[in-house]
Amino acid sequence: MSNAKNCILAQHCSLAGGAQCTKLCPSYIANHGLNGAGGRVGAANLPLEYRGVTLANSPAREEQASIYRVLEGYVPTFARQFEEHPEKPIKSLYFYSDSPGTGKTTTASAVLTEYITRHYIGSILRNRQALDRPAYFLDVNAWQTLYNKFNRPTVPADVAEPASRQYYAWMTAAEVAPFAVLDDIGVRDVTEGFRGDLHTIINHRVTNGMVTVYTSNIPLRDLNTVFREMKPRLVDRMRDLCIEREFVGISHRGLKRA
Ligand SMILES: Nc1ncnc2c1ncn2[C@@H]1O[C@H](COP(=O)(O)OP(=O)(O)OP(=O)(O)O)[C@@H](O)[C@H]1O
Ligand SMILES: [Mg+2]
């Protein structure tokens, strides 16, 4: 049976659906690993729920049609990653909505998958080695949970140490990946230390012109009140680099999908 439905490359692949489209295809393994949970998609740390979502198959596509139209025009600009001196930089994206469950993370994940696909295919076409981790997904809430695990008054060393190692590994990955999703950056109730680390990642990416998709429950203009202007004008600089879109509609979180 064909492996096309499991492979993010399928929509671009001339072998998709044919006899050679199996779990042993080298390009499938390069992107999904031998066990289906590795490769470049696995290295991106995308939560399971959002793996395999593309712009074409996203459950949010219909309801957020105008945003998906913008994104259909946006993802081809990823080809600029291969230009030495692109005329224009690749923009970043900022998705927000008041209510939860409107498809922000789903859509950010679809864009991430498009980036991996285009990075991989573009590298092969240029006879280059694709990066092992071209894209990374940082779940800011999960990252904060890790932070709290080693920042309590009495934490046994065998709990604190692995948590802190993992915390800094995620932080480094989110800083160095050419493309990153920073999911749910509007988190409130955070300590100054954690907020500082989140700002360090954003500041690094903004300063180096790295492509980032942010999701948030507040518009960019209100981010300063949550960020408390730790880095002067960080939010202004983010805004200069971002296409901002509001996700409207009701929450689909917890609704049974047909
Ligand atoms: N427009 C939509 N139509 C159908 N299903 C949707 C739609 N938007 C989201 N979903 C589904 O609802 C669930 C939640 O979506 P998602 O996590 O993308 O929302 P979110 O906007 O990131 O929410 P939050 O603000 O809580 O982070 C997912 O299972 C997703 O597939
Ligand atoms: Mg979300």
Side-chain angles (χ1 to χ4, degrees):
M1 208 172 85
S2 156
N3 192 38
K5 68 174 190 323
N6 301 317
C7 184
I8 60 167
L9 304 176
Q11 57 179 321
H12 304 277
C13 181
S14 58
L15 302 177
Q20 293 173 64
C21 184
T22 70
K23 291 193 166 160
L24 296 175
C25 167
S27 288
Y28 172 77
I29 294 171
N31 284 285
H32 296 279
L34 266 171
N35 59 0
R40 287 165 179 87
V41 174
N45 208 25
L46 203 57
L48 271 185
E49 183 188 352
Y50 303 108
R51 280 191 197 175
V53 180
T54 62
L55 287 182
N57 72 16
S58 167
R61 187 182 167 94
E62 248 172 65
E63 203 169 300
Q64 308 295 349
S66 67
I67 292 175
Y68 276 71
R69 269 198 300 277
V70 171
L71 295 176
E72 295 289 355
Y74 165 78
V75 292
T77 68
F78 289 162
R80 293 180 197 157
Q81 69 186 284
F82 298 108
E83 295 172 19
E84 215 160 306
H85 303 291
E87 224 166 89
K88 288 189 205 157
I90 305 170
K91 284 265 184 188
S92 288
L93 301 170
Y94 188 94
F95 298 153
Y96 75 95
S97 66
D98 264 352
S99 56
T102 52
K104 300 179 296 295
T105 305
T106 304
T107 306
S109 303
V111 176
L112 178 145
T113 298
E114 298 290 343
Y115 190 91
I116 294 179
T117 306
R118 285 160 198 270
H119 174 78
Y120 181 78
I121 296 175
S123 300
I124 301 274
L125 289 176
R126 288 165 181 82
N127 225 355
R128 296 188 198 170
Q129 174 71 36
L131 295 172
D132 288 340
R133 185 181 273 157
Y136 189 72
F137 181 101
L138 181 69
D139 175 340
V140 174
N141 285 304
W143 192 49
Q144 187 188 6
T145 303
L146 270 180
Y147 182 89
N148 292 340
K149 255 191 183 169
F150 66 94
N151 282 289
R152 289 193 184 161
T154 50
V155 192
D158 62 329
V159 173
E161 203 184 300
S164 112
R165 264 184 216 292
Q166 195 173 21
Y167 177 84
Y168 287 108
W170 287 11
M171 182 169 180
T172 304
E175 281 184 334
V176 303
F179 176 100
V181 173
L182 304 184
D183 189 45
D184 220 349
I185 59 164
V187 282
R188 289 157 197 272
D189 302 326
V190 297
T191 63
E192 288 304 312
F194 178 76
R195 198 195 318 274
D197 285 349
L198 179 58
H199 289 195
T200 299
I201 296 175
I202 297 176
N203 192 52
H204 177 85
R205 299 194 64 84
V206 168
T207 306
N208 292 290
M210 299 163 93
V211 190
T212 312
V213 181
Y214 308 92
T215 79
S216 173
N217 55 356
I218 44 179
L220 255 170
R221 64 174 179 277
D222 294 341
L223 204 56
N224 264 335
T225 49
V226 177
F227 275 16
R228 301 206 191 123
E229 268 291 16
M230 269 185 53
K231 299 261 190 306
R233 294 194 300 280
L234 178 58
V235 175
D236 290 345
R237 284 155 59 218
M238 281 169 74
R239 190 182 300 125
D240 289 343
L241 302 168
C242 273
I243 300 169
E244 183 179 9
R245 282 293 178 276
E246 181 177 9
F247 280 60
V248 289
I250 55 145
S251 173
H252 289 264
R253 188 168 289 290
L255 294 184
K256 267 229 170 331
R257 273 172 287 169

